[in-house]
Amino acid sequence: MAVPARKTSKTRKRNRRGHIKLTVPGLAPCPNCSELRKSHMVCPSCGYYDGKQVVNANN
């Protein structure tokens, strides 16, 4: 069975794991109510998408 010759340092381990992180969702202002919403999704505050009301607003 293969055993590492020496201990992997903290720096080497953290460099290898540099891509493992959370990503921020792409937020864009709604053209109808100017509130931030996820891109290509119906606005949760006003219910508009592509200039048309798709869902009834909760407000």
Side-chain angles (χ1 to χ4, degrees), residues 18-39:
H19 67 282
I20 303 171
K21 57 183 177 269
L22 295 174
T23 58
V24 179
L27 297 177
C30 174
N32 188 47
C33 67
S34 301
E35 191 163 327
L36 288 178
R37 61 173 175 83
K38 286 174 72 175
S39 298

Side-chain angles (χ1 to χ4, degrees), residues 38-56:
K38 286 174 72 175
S39 298
H40 308 286
M41 301 294 256
V42 176
C43 181
S45 62
C46 67
Y48 273 73
Y49 182 76
D50 197 26
K52 302 171 200 131
Q53 185 162 12
V54 181
V55 180
N56 289 335

Side-chain angles (χ1 to χ4, degrees), residues 6-27:
R6 51 182 55 88
K7 179 181 176 180
T8 305
S9 70
K10 292 174 189 169
T11 305
R12 190 173 284 273
K13 178 171 56 176
R14 290 173 185 162
N15 279 337
R16 187 173 64 241
R17 296 179 181 172
H19 67 282
I20 303 171
K21 57 183 177 269
L22 295 174
T23 58
V24 179
L27 297 177

